[in-house]
Amino acid sequence: MNCTGRFAPSPTGPLHFGSLMAALASFLDSRSQSGRWLLRIEDLDPPREVPGASDNIIRTLAHYGLEWDDQVLFQSDRLSIYRKNLDALISQGLAYPCSCTRSEMKRRDALALYDGHCRTHTPRPGTQCAVRALYPAEDVQFHDRIQGNRLYPGQDGRGDFVIFRRDQLFAYQLAVVVDDAYQRVDQVVRGFDLIDETPRQIVLQKHLGLVTPSYAHIPVATNAEGQKLSKQTYAPALSDSDQDRSRNLYFALEILGQNPPAALREEAAQTILEWGVSNWHIEAVPRQPGVRPKEWS
Ligand code: GLU
Ligand code: ZN
């Protein structure tokens, strides 16, 4: 069966060069295997959403020729499904309510790694609770198609992670796992900034009896200060001119280690994408967390 990949942006701003790299890498990885490529908008966090960002992302991808299969999936349409999965985890004892506030956790030095307090303490009545999933005592390992073998040590009663937030929003971790399975995604390609989220996603897949896809984490584009390009670091939105489209796609291929011939740079976006599909080599992608494009230094 052909593979299925996806691009799953959060609509927190317009598409920028860093997100184009993630979209392009997963697109090429799927299309080079005649696979399917899906678009999912992860709009689960209204306070962080920017009005118009979903439309901008969808329009820009289409304009770049990154065409997806099926309809766009919006996570905001799937809250009742996340609720069912959450309830199932709680009733099986694989997740539990947690009433700890930030300041309580800070006092217990449990901010970076949760100490499992509410595993054994009933939450204070009348408080709004988060829900945490159990993190296992056994190591979690996976093979990343770019970064190689990754090993995350098991936690002895620590490290239980939030799948439903205290502000009563579903957490990214739960939704991403439920939806990758629902959309039958079997090859995840995304930015290195998400690699350390992967063990928790694998744990959740086990809890829910879901298949674990393969993972590949591409280096993220950084600015001169080594920060990931994002809205917070003022990454410019991608411009729409034909010339900029070609330049951005060519440049992304170059950073992804694909070695595009210089003459391709002047070609139309569609031609550059076709070259990318025919010449995609995931083993050529640099095995490192970040890359700073030369031209920006
Ligand atoms: N929505 C997440 C983000 O924009 C990415 C999810 C994923 O690729 O797993 O950072
Ligand atoms: Zn707690």
Side-chain angles (χ1 to χ4, degrees):
M1 213 185 68
N2 291 341
C3 66
T4 302
R6 49 73 163 176
F7 178 52
S10 307
T12 53
L15 205 69
H16 56 75
F17 185 77
S19 35
L20 177 71
M21 271 178 58
L24 179 66
S26 67
F27 173 88
L28 295 178
D29 189 58
S30 297
R31 296 301 194 213
S32 65
Q33 300 167 70
S34 308
R36 285 154 35 83
W37 188 66
L38 307 176
L39 176 58
R40 178 169 80 230
I41 301 288
E42 302 209 319
D43 53 349
L44 275 186
D45 192 348
R48 286 190 58 223
E49 261 153 50
V50 170
S54 294
D55 284 348
N56 172 287
I57 292 170
I58 291 171
R59 221 180 326 106
T60 310
L61 287 172
H63 191 63
Y64 269 73
L66 296 167
E67 281 168 19
W68 55 91
D69 297 306
D70 299 351
Q71 286 183 357
V72 181
L73 189 75
F74 288 87
Q75 289 194 324
S76 56
D77 288 339
R78 293 182 40 80
L79 303 184
S80 62
I81 310 286
Y82 307 140
R83 169 63 59 189
K84 278 203 191 104
N85 282 275
L86 185 69
D87 290 346
L89 289 168
I90 296 171
S91 67
Q92 293 169 81
L94 295 168
Y96 59 86
C98 165
S99 60
C100 299
T101 61
R102 266 190 82 79
S103 59
E104 286 169 341
M105 290 188 281
K106 190 164 180 208
R107 225 175 300 132
R108 302 200 308 264
D109 199 18
L111 270 183
L113 187 66
Y114 184 65
D115 57 3
H117 181 266
C118 293
R119 275 195 189 195
T120 49
H121 294 74
T122 315
R124 278 186 311 280
T127 50
Q128 277 204 332
C129 287
V131 176
R132 290 180 183 271
L134 300 185
Y135 195 87
E138 302 79 45
D139 296 350
V140 180
Q141 298 188 50
F142 67 96
H143 176 79
D144 187 288
R145 292 166 62 214
I146 296 170
Q147 309 295 338
N149 289 332
R150 308 282 298 187
L151 172 80
Y152 293 82
Q155 297 294 342
D156 204 8
R158 303 173 72 89
D160 299 340
F161 55 100
V162 172
I163 54 175
F164 184 71
R165 295 165 23 175
R166 255 169 74 85
D167 58 8
Q168 311 299 292
L169 295 175
F170 291 98
Y172 156 68
Q173 297 289 14
L174 179 68
V176 74
V177 160
V178 168
D179 287 346
D180 279 341
Y182 170 69
Q183 295 186 289
R184 301 187 187 286
V185 171
D186 55 7
Q187 293 190 185
V188 172
V189 179
R190 60 186 177 187
F192 192 92
D193 53 314
L194 291 166
I195 198 165
D196 293 339
E197 305 298 335
T198 310
R200 290 189 274 271
Q201 291 170 21
I202 293 173
V203 165
L204 260 187
Q205 285 151 359
K206 296 229 167 75
H207 286 343
L208 290 166
L210 303 171
V211 176
T212 294
S214 71
Y215 288 97
H217 290 86
I218 63 164
V220 296
T222 62
N223 63 15
E225 284 75 48
Q227 299 163 312
K228 179 193 168 196
L229 289 186
S230 69
K231 201 178 54 145
Q232 287 73 30
T233 55
Y234 304 104
L238 290 176
S239 96
D240 269 0
S241 78
D242 287 348
Q243 201 188 1
D244 286 350
R245 265 193 305 171
S246 296
R247 182 178 173 277
N248 286 330
L249 286 171
Y250 181 90
F251 202 22
L253 280 175
E254 206 169 41
I255 298 174
L256 289 166
Q258 302 301 302
N259 228 344
L264 200 63
R265 201 183 173 123
E266 312 303 325
E267 297 290 343
Q270 204 52 44
T271 310
I272 299 178
L273 284 181
E274 280 160 19
W275 184 91
V277 170
S278 311
N279 292 279
W280 175 248
H281 289 296
I282 198 163
E283 57 288 355
V285 177
R287 185 176 173 170
Q288 58 195 57
V291 277
R292 177 155 65 90
K294 311 191 262 313
E295 292 191 15
W296 296 341
S297 41

